[in-house]
């Protein structure tokens, strides 16, 4: 347990240095006001994976490519080790792969989602993003059309992952509506 915590601390210090930031102190004396200390050892593997997903998406939005790649190299194996992923987990893994440039992994996750649920909004969003990253505008347009056609019925289904990824869905729908 202590060895694992030490490894995580070293990875965080290394990531902070690569991002040009000052390394955080590994064991703060007390958490910031209003914040509770996070005990990683008490988290489930799924909770750890979700935290990595959130961090990678935030770093991607901030344009911190080196940090995205570093944390993606940790997150992809974590997601792959979780066993059979549900559609939400496949989307998370696919998005991590997509923003870190692992387009084959992202494509495989999009394909798996759409094989299981052909109108799943997150599968369509991921497939469109991969097509755009590959420069395949015809495929991107086709996935976006399917996304727009599926929007009403899928949102009415009330799937939990649609609530969790509502911002991604709203952004993808807006982008699809703006394009001819």
């Amino acid at each position: 347990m202590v060895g694992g915590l030490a490894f995580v601390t070293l990875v965080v210090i290394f990531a902070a240095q690569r991002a040009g930031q000052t390394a955080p102190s590994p064991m703060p004396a007390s958490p910031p006001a209003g914040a509770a200390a996070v005990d990683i050892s008490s988290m489930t593997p799924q909770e750890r994976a979700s935290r990595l997903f959130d961090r990678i998406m935030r770093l991607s939005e901030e344009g911190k490519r080196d940090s995205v790649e570093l944390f993606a190299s940790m997150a992809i194996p974590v997601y792959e080790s979780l066993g059979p992923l549900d559609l939400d987990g496949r989307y998370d893994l696919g998005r991590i792969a997509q923003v870190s440039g692992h387009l084959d992994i992202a494509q495989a996750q999009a394909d798996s989602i759409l094989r299981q649920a052909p109108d799943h909004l997150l599968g369509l969003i991921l497939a469109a993003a991969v097509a755009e990253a590959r420069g395949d505008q015809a495929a991107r347009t086709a996935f976006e059309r399917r996304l727009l056609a599926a929007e009403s019925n899928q949102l009415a289904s009330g799937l939990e992952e649609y609530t969790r990824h509502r911002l991604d869905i709203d952004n993808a729908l807006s982008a699809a509506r703006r394009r001819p």
Side-chain angles (χ1 to χ4, degrees):
M1 178 62 74
V2 173
L5 185 56
F7 174 76
V8 169
T9 301
L10 287 173
V11 169
V12 170
I13 291 168
F14 177 74
Q17 288 172 342
R18 278 192 74 181
Q21 302 170 348
T22 303
S25 68
M27 300 290 278
S30 62
V38 177
D39 181 7
I40 293 174
S41 67
S42 68
M43 294 177 161
T44 67
Q46 180 59 52
E47 289 169 331
R48 287 185 210 122
S50 292
R51 279 189 170 260
L52 281 167
F53 172 82
D54 292 341
R55 173 171 279 178
I56 292 165
M57 293 303 109
R58 187 179 67 251
L59 291 168
S60 178
E61 289 170 9
E62 294 170 358
K64 296 179 178 174
R65 182 82 181 149
D66 286 347
S67 295
V68 166
E69 290 172 11
L70 174 70
F71 284 102
S73 70
M74 291 185 280
I76 290 171
V78 167
Y79 272 91
E80 290 173 340
S81 73
L82 291 176
L85 294 173
D86 60 11
L87 300 181
D88 187 29
R90 287 190 176 282
Y91 176 74
D92 288 357
L93 173 55
R95 282 285 289 143
I96 290 168
Q98 183 245 324
V99 300
S100 64
H102 298 281
L103 297 181
D104 290 340
I105 295 171
Q107 183 70 61
Q109 297 312 307
D111 291 347
S112 293
I113 293 168
L114 296 175
R115 248 190 320 276
Q116 189 172 342
D119 292 333
H120 197 277
L121 298 180
L122 298 178
L124 294 168
I125 291 167
L126 183 57
V130 171
E132 184 167 13
R134 288 186 165 153
D136 188 345
Q137 299 310 314
R140 180 197 43 83
T141 299
F143 285 119
E144 286 180 341
R145 286 185 183 142
R146 288 175 57 189
L147 175 69
L148 292 171
E151 174 188 6
S152 295
N153 287 339
Q154 286 295 303
L155 288 178
S157 71
L159 293 175
E160 184 178 328
E161 60 259 36
Y162 290 170
T163 301
R164 181 170 180 249
H165 294 289
R166 187 60 198 230
L167 183 60
D168 289 354
I169 293 169
D170 289 345
N171 289 340
L173 288 168
S174 292
R177 287 187 183 107
R178 283 191 306 268
R179 298 190 229 271

